[in-house]
Amino acid sequence: MSSLSSMSFSESPLTTTEVEAAERLYGDLAQDIRDVRDLTIRTRVDADRVAAARALVQQASQILAEDAPPEPAGIHYNADGRSWNWGNAVVGVRNAIAPPVVLSWDDNDVVSSELDLGVAYEGPPGCVHGGVSSLLLDHLMGETASDRHTRLIVTGTLTLRYVLPLPLGRVRMRGWISNEDGRKVTVTAHIGPADSDVPAVEASGLFIVPRWAQSVTDSADVGSLD
């Protein structure tokens, strides 16, 4: 049985101003770690320089461990309806694995994002790993299915068609609702190079509003649970 329920969301006493300040503070730290991650893959420095870098990284780990609760970051919201999911693998501003993705909605309810995928996301030489494309599209499509965060959504099925290799670098993805039937929402999406209209990966997904989520107040602006 799934452990997800309405209790999976935690109300926080933080004000929106405090949340945004924390996002700037820890978001900058996460970006520094992304930079180190990228350089770790590409560097050719000698053993002495690697040892010096490791010592600094270990020192940083000791500092950050001074106050680091063991539990996952989770999803939180405050009295203003502002929500945050800092540990999310796609959009988490405090997660150095996340690019992170920033989504936007246009007037036709098409959800899109442009982002940079560097060497940390490589699969085939010079190209984005197919699983990374799937991860990003899954999140984009879940957010699309949430209909501007007016309902809670989980992924039912996701079908991908890998049309062309997706080069590392600047990419663009787009998604839109193509059908709705009760608690079931179908979304169509694609991802490709930002400088081309030809998609590299096409996707179709079925997303579900869980029965327990139908009674959850929409004051928690959380959208997709992926």
Side-chain angles (χ1 to χ4, degrees):
M1 180 178 294
S2 170
S3 60
L4 286 175
S5 72
S6 60
M7 301 301 292
S8 301
F9 308 94
S10 174
E11 186 169 5
S12 169
L14 291 178
T15 66
T16 297
T17 298
E18 291 170 331
V19 170
E20 291 174 350
E23 288 186 342
R24 289 191 297 272
L25 175 64
Y26 296 110
D28 287 347
L29 171 63
Q31 185 56 54
D32 290 340
I33 296 173
R34 291 184 189 103
D35 293 341
V36 171
R37 177 199 64 195
D38 182 271
L39 289 166
T40 299
I41 296 169
R42 296 187 293 109
T43 188
R44 295 180 180 178
V45 298
D46 62 25
D48 289 342
R49 302 306 290 161
V50 170
R54 288 190 64 198
L56 292 172
V57 171
Q58 290 164 6
Q59 182 182 8
S61 294
Q62 291 172 357
I63 292 171
L64 297 175
E66 291 173 2
D67 187 1
E71 63 269 11
I75 301 177
H76 304 270
Y77 64 94
N78 64 14
D80 298 328
R82 172 67 154 83
S83 67
W84 56 98
N85 190 1
W86 288 337
N88 185 275
V90 177
V91 299
V93 297
R94 293 182 62 169
N95 187 343
I97 294 174
V101 168
V102 177
L103 302 175
S104 61
W105 280 253
D106 69 15
D107 292 339
N108 296 318
D109 289 331
V110 174
V111 184
S112 61
S113 181
E114 282 199 18
L115 61 147
D116 292 304
L117 295 177
V119 295
Y121 302 102
E122 187 175 35
C127 297
V128 177
H129 193 292
V132 172
S133 295
S134 175
L135 172 71
L136 298 178
L137 285 168
D138 181 23
H139 191 91
L140 171 95
M141 296 165 74
E143 293 293 295
T144 303
S146 77
D147 193 19
R148 295 180 183 263
H149 294 174
T150 60
R151 56 192 172 196
L152 297 172
I153 288 288
V154 295
T155 306
T157 60
L158 188 65
T159 302
L160 301 172
R161 178 172 176 260
Y162 292 88
V163 182
L164 294 168
L166 177 59
L168 293 172
R170 191 75 174 172
V171 303
R172 179 192 301 121
M173 54 182 178
R174 302 175 74 243
W176 57 92
I177 294 173
S178 49
N179 189 58
E180 294 192 44
D181 182 11
R183 295 189 298 116
K184 300 177 181 179
V185 183
T186 302
V187 175
T188 301
H190 59 75
I191 187 171
D195 60 358
S196 172
D197 293 329
V198 179
V201 184
E202 300 172 336
S204 177
L206 177 64
F207 296 83
I208 310 295
V209 178
R211 293 187 185 280
W212 59 262
Q214 292 178 298
S215 62
V216 176
T217 174
D218 62 4
S219 65
D221 177 22
V222 292
S224 169
L225 298 184
D226 297 311

